Amino acid sequence: VAKEGTEGAYTYAICDINGQMLAEDIMPVTQAYGGWPPSRVMLHQSFGWWGRRESFYSRFYIKDGWLYGADFEPLHAVEINAMTPYFSERGDFISNVLYYLEGNRTGGRVFDGQGGYYIQVYADGKLYVKQDDRIYHFPVDSRETYVRNMNDTFVELTMPYQIRLVRNGKEILTASTIQSMSDFYIIADRRIIDKNGVTRYRFQEGEWMRALPGEVVLLYRGPFVGIADLDGNWLVKTLRGED
């Protein structure tokens, strides 16, 4: 329950369905814009001499510097960033919460990659990256290096720019940019590179491609557009319409 006082200040509390107070002076964690399912759902609003009162559902809350889940138990291996009043849920993580990855504290930022949200921290010559329930280790030469994007197969590192395989950290490309990515291949440096790090096809003049789910690509070649395999062979094609 959120209650707005006469001076505009909000106080938050947790109540059961009968209105009995379970926890007072808490801070709910809101859902990041566009997130689904929402972690904060408006249930009721009322207005009166006390100001505005709202009832809503939230999956996490903060009290006395601890982050709690819906089971009223604190989440361990995290620390609250006292410098910010704003926390938002992003996938399995919460922005501005300082997570510990094998003893190394993150900075509170949650990154949005093609494979979902992830967090990262540099320590002892390695990047520690957590996505879903797995922690990955990528040896790097500089603490300025960070993960720009990743899915279950590929990871983009920057400063210096590299593309590696997630499963073993093997470097497959440098000094380039991923134009498009799937779990089976990437399109980068005018090449199709599969999940084993093998270059399957090099773009010809006037060709353009975009990644699709599975082991096929959307290919524009001359007057045609259609679906091709990773070796650039047409599977189905049609004449392009007028641009």
Side-chain angles (χ1 to χ4, degrees):
V1 176
K3 180 181 177 182
E4 183 183 30
T6 56
E7 296 182 359
Y10 277 89
T11 59
Y12 297 85
I14 297 176
C15 300
D16 62 18
I17 59 176
N18 297 315
Q20 181 178 349
M21 198 77 68
L22 302 178
E24 297 184 78
D25 299 323
I26 63 100
M27 173 62 69
V29 173
T30 63
Q31 175 70 45
Y33 177 77
W36 187 262
S39 63
R40 174 173 167 154
V41 179
M42 184 68 66
L43 301 176
H44 172 73
Q45 273 191 329
S46 63
F47 300 86
W49 59 267
W50 56 81
R52 184 172 65 182
R53 181 175 294 168
E54 301 174 351
S55 298
F56 53 85
Y57 159 80
S58 183
R59 295 203 302 170
F60 300 95
Y61 68 94
I62 296 167
K63 180 176 175 60
D64 298 331
W66 286 92
L67 178 67
Y68 288 81
D71 58 0
F72 296 94
E73 294 293 330
L75 278 66
H76 297 286
V78 300
E79 182 178 333
I80 300 301
N81 184 356
M83 301 300 293
T84 177
Y86 180 73
F87 303 88
S88 63
E89 185 182 353
R90 295 179 177 271
D92 295 329
F93 306 107
I94 298 172
S95 64
N96 290 320
V97 168
L98 310 180
Y99 293 85
Y100 283 83
L101 302 184
E102 299 183 6
N104 303 294
R105 191 178 72 177
T106 66
R109 181 178 174 184
V110 179
F111 297 82
D112 187 4
Q114 184 170 359
Y117 293 103
Y118 60 94
I119 55 177
Q120 60 183 309
V121 60
Y122 171 88
D124 304 321
K126 291 187 291 187
L127 271 177
Y128 295 79
V129 183
K130 184 174 183 180
Q131 186 175 56
D132 297 324
D133 292 327
R134 296 191 60 183
I135 297 179
Y136 301 94
H137 308 91
F138 301 113
V140 294
D141 296 328
S142 169
R143 66 171 52 252
E144 301 300 321
T145 302
Y146 65 93
V147 172
R148 179 182 179 183
N149 192 11
M150 68 182 298
N151 59 16
D152 292 337
T153 306
F154 302 99
V155 57
E156 282 186 89
L157 301 178
T158 186
M159 301 179 65
Y161 193 89
Q162 298 174 347
I163 300 171
R164 300 187 188 182
L165 298 177
V166 167
R167 69 176 182 272
N168 57 15
K170 176 184 176 182
E171 180 182 324
I172 60 174
L173 196 63
T174 59
S176 187
T177 300
I178 291 181
Q179 283 87 47
S180 197
M181 175 192 294
S182 82
D183 285 333
F184 295 92
Y185 63 92
I186 57 173
I187 299 174
D189 196 25
R190 299 189 59 79
R191 289 185 276 170
I192 298 177
I193 303 172
D194 67 20
K195 60 184 178 181
N196 295 313
V198 176
T199 296
R200 298 285 294 273
Y201 183 77
R202 293 181 182 273
F203 284 31
Q204 304 301 312
E205 186 68 28
E207 289 184 336
W208 181 84
M209 295 184 184
R210 188 174 69 190
L212 295 174
E215 298 186 69
V216 293
V217 299
L218 178 65
L219 171 62
Y220 291 82
R221 177 186 289 159
F224 298 102
V225 59
I227 307 299
D229 63 21
L230 301 190
D231 298 310
N233 301 310
W234 286 118
L235 299 177
V236 60
K237 66 180 179 179
T238 187
L239 286 170
R240 298 173 61 175
E242 294 292 334
D243 293 334

